[in-house]
Amino acid sequence: ANMNGLLRQEITRVILSIAEHPPASVACSTMLSGGLSKSLCYIQRCIRETPVGEILKPRILVIKAAVDLPAQHLAIMNCIFASQKQNIPIDSCVLWHTSGFLQQAS
């Protein structure tokens, strides 16, 4: 419960901060594929280190405020397919622009 409260507070702080200074309409580079890759690697490490008899039910939460960039399509889709194969759901909160990538993932 404490972790959920802390997570809720931090997400609220970030969203309010972004709301005060919305991003420019100019497309900016995002690190979505890198973040998903790192998350999947961390989840696999946690699964390997989990004691026998314990079961993890990992999830990934993506909060996105940038536009999708076609240059990242292949890397992001590879991460999405990897998470689907490992039964790791990806939840998403898209703040401004719709995201075809995250629609595919969720």
Side-chain angles (χ1 to χ4, degrees):
N2 188 25
M3 178 59 112
N4 288 339
L6 181 62
L7 187 60
R8 188 178 312 117
Q9 283 179 328
E10 195 59 26
I11 289 172
T12 301
R13 184 189 65 77
V14 168
I15 289 173
L16 290 175
S17 171
I18 292 172
E20 290 176 8
H21 304 88
S25 61
V26 177
C28 59
S29 177
T30 64
M31 296 302 297
L32 180 58
S33 61
L36 287 173
S37 296
K38 199 169 193 176
S39 298
L40 290 168
C41 289
Y42 180 74
I43 288 169
Q44 285 306 309
R45 189 177 95 202
C46 290
I47 290 171
R48 277 196 319 270
E49 294 174 355
T50 301
V52 175
E54 284 187 33
I55 297 174
L56 289 181
K57 293 185 179 179
R59 300 181 78 86
I60 297 173
L61 172 64
V62 176
I63 300 173
K64 187 170 184 285
V67 296
D68 288 341
L69 296 178
Q72 289 196 355
H73 182 264
L74 184 61
I76 292 172
M77 292 310 292
N78 282 338
C79 291
I80 291 170
F81 294 143
S83 72
Q84 288 174 343
K85 184 175 180 180
Q86 298 168 23
N87 294 320
I88 301 171
I90 298 177
D91 300 313
S92 60
C93 174
V94 180
L95 299 178
W96 277 280
H97 309 280
T98 58
S99 174
F101 297 149
L102 294 177
Q103 278 183 334
Q104 176 74 28
S106 295

